[in-house]
Amino acid sequence: MRIRLEPRWTKRLLELPESGMGYQRVDIRLVDGRELKDVVVFNAEEIEVPDEFARTQIKDVRLHTA
């Protein structure tokens, strides 16, 4: 499921390099302590997550490192 990121995360991602044309691969930490690794963000605005994470708030976003 694609969800729209809060403006603060978009602003932060715009300051970081792209992983490819129009996307970034990121790791996200959720407020409930769970983490998602190697998640795709499109144009620093929309993130692709499994449906079960669609309503969970993000605590931190970092570029994914291999």
Side-chain angles (χ1 to χ4, degrees):
M1 167 178 269
R2 279 193 191 187
I3 57 171
R4 193 159 203 55
L5 290 172
E6 294 176 27
R8 66 180 170 152
W9 301 125
T10 296
K11 180 180 177 185
R12 183 172 183 183
L13 289 170
L14 286 172
E15 297 171 352
L16 300 173
E18 292 183 327
S19 302
M21 185 67 99
Y23 73 93
Q24 292 161 304
R25 298 190 88 74
V26 300
D27 298 331
I28 59 174
R29 179 175 295 154
L30 305 172
V31 255
D32 64 8
R34 295 182 291 176
E35 292 187 33
L36 295 172
K37 303 269 187 193
D38 200 16
V39 179
V40 176
V41 176
F42 300 95
N43 298 317
E45 295 177 342
E46 292 185 331
I47 191 165
E48 184 81 31
V49 295
D51 292 346
E52 69 237 37
F53 296 98
R55 292 191 172 96
T56 307
Q57 288 187 327
I58 296 172
K59 182 176 181 178
D60 191 28
V61 177
R62 297 181 186 173
L63 280 182
H64 178 73
T65 56

